[in-house]
């Protein structure tokens, strides 16, 4: 039995005008490998994986990466490897002028997915 072990990630990138498309490259019980193409102005909403880790390898572009429920963000760019350990909030907003392209590896494959609402403070100006 032959199992594919080498993939050309560019064949999985799917630019979209709506939300970015989660394009699965390969998956097993051990991990899910996903290619992401996030256009300028697009966002992968904040979320967490309650039972696993999500590791991103940024191939092209830049963006602002969500770090917590408070909406704290940090700049990420091509060449970065970004790790969200089990239960850590993460997501990204492409605030640049070029596509943000990265590979995500979620491990284990059944890490789960939970969307997170960012806490906002409303200040009344009288």
């Amino acid at each position: 039995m032959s199992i594919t072990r080498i993939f050309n990630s560019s064949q999985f990138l799917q630019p979209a005008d709506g939300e970015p498309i989660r394009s699965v490259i390969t998956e097993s019980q051990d991990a899910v490998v996903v290619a992401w193409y996030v256009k300028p102005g697009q966002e992968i909403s904040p979320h967490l994986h309650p039972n696993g880790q999500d590791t991103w390898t940024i191939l092209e572009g830049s963006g602002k990466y969500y770090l917590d429920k408070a909406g704290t963000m940090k700049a990420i760019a091509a060449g970065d490897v970004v790790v969200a350990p089990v239960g850590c909030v993460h997501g990204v907003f492409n605030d640049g002028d070029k596509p943000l392209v990265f590979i995500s590896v979620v491990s284990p494959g059944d890490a789960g997915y939970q969307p997170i609402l960012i806490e906002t403070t409303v200040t009344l100006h009288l």
Side-chain angles (χ1 to χ4, degrees), residues 30-43:
D30 299 315
V32 178
V33 181
V34 177
W36 287 99
Y37 187 103
V38 184
K39 289 184 174 182
Q42 289 182 326
E43 176 180 67

Side-chain angles (χ1 to χ4, degrees), residues 12 14 19-24 27 32-36 106 109:
F12 293 87
Q14 298 183 57
E19 292 186 21
I21 295 174
R22 177 181 180 269
S23 183
V24 176
E27 61 186 318
V32 178
V33 181
V34 177
W36 287 99
V106 178

Side-chain angles (χ1 to χ4, degrees), residues 102-123:
F102 65 95
I103 302 300
S104 164
V105 179
V106 178
S107 181
D110 62 353
Y113 175 87
Q114 181 179 337
I116 299 295
L117 292 176
I118 295 299
E119 299 167 358
T120 57
T121 303
V122 177
T123 304

Side-chain angles (χ1 to χ4, degrees), residues 31-76:
V32 178
V33 181
V34 177
W36 287 99
Y37 187 103
V38 184
K39 289 184 174 182
Q42 289 182 326
E43 176 180 67
I44 295 174
S45 298
H47 63 282
L48 59 83
H49 304 283
N51 304 307
Q53 175 173 295
D54 194 354
T55 303
W56 297 1
T57 302
I58 312 303
L59 303 175
E60 298 176 23
S62 61
K64 298 289 187 200
Y65 182 80
Y66 285 99
L67 295 170
D68 55 34
K69 288 182 181 182
T72 306
M73 300 177 96
K74 183 164 177 83
I76 59 172

Side-chain angles (χ1 to χ4, degrees), residues 6-22:
I6 299 172
F7 302 88
N8 182 336
S9 62
S10 67
Q11 294 178 351
F12 293 87
L13 299 174
Q14 298 183 57
D17 290 331
E19 292 186 21
I21 295 174
R22 177 181 180 269

